[in-house]
Amino acid sequence: MAGVDAFIDRLDPDMCVVTATANGERAGCLVGFASQCSIRPVRFVVWLSKVNHTYRVAQDAPFLAVHLLTPGQRELAELFGGRTGDTTDKFQHVGVREEHGGALVLEDAAAWFVGAVVLRADGGDHVGFVLEPVAGGEREQAADGPLLRLDDARTIAPGHPVD
């Protein structure tokens, strides 16, 4: 549908890294489909591809962590967007710490929050994980700076095929 493609092609959303832990597994991926979806209560939704390792781990995760990156953190975006957790332990390359509910937080993220999964919504080839924030923070040196956006990440080849 040309009209919808023209609309979608103009979007330049913030990119984020979502991490999940469940059943002794940990996973993380670069996500371009995410948004606040409620004001009262505050809720945020991240959409994970069904072909992604992170999706499989997140299915059983009670909490997910969502991280914002800056344009200067392209290597971190490439790690979580360009490699698959099926074959790579992405976390061996970065500093992480456990936060609320055992969620893994990337220490270098510009800002982050941990959210309790309150709903999973099938949207087609992605599933939306609606999150209720329970903890969050930011790096002081990254406060108020620009965020990594889709245009900054377009050349990152996905770790899994898109379809």
Side-chain angles (χ1 to χ4, degrees), residues 38-91:
S38 176
I39 296 170
R40 288 185 196 92
V42 173
R43 298 270 168 88
F44 194 88
V45 64
V46 293
W47 293 88
L48 301 179
S49 169
K50 291 178 181 178
V51 300
N52 195 300
H53 178 250
T54 304
Y55 164 73
R56 293 190 301 277
V57 174
Q59 286 180 297
D60 294 324
F63 299 93
L64 300 179
V66 181
H67 310 79
L68 294 175
L69 306 178
T70 66
Q73 294 178 299
R74 183 174 167 89
E75 281 186 28
L76 194 55
E78 288 175 349
L79 173 65
F80 282 91
R83 297 196 186 163
T84 173
D86 291 325
T87 59
T88 302
D89 179 2
K90 300 174 192 180
F91 297 96

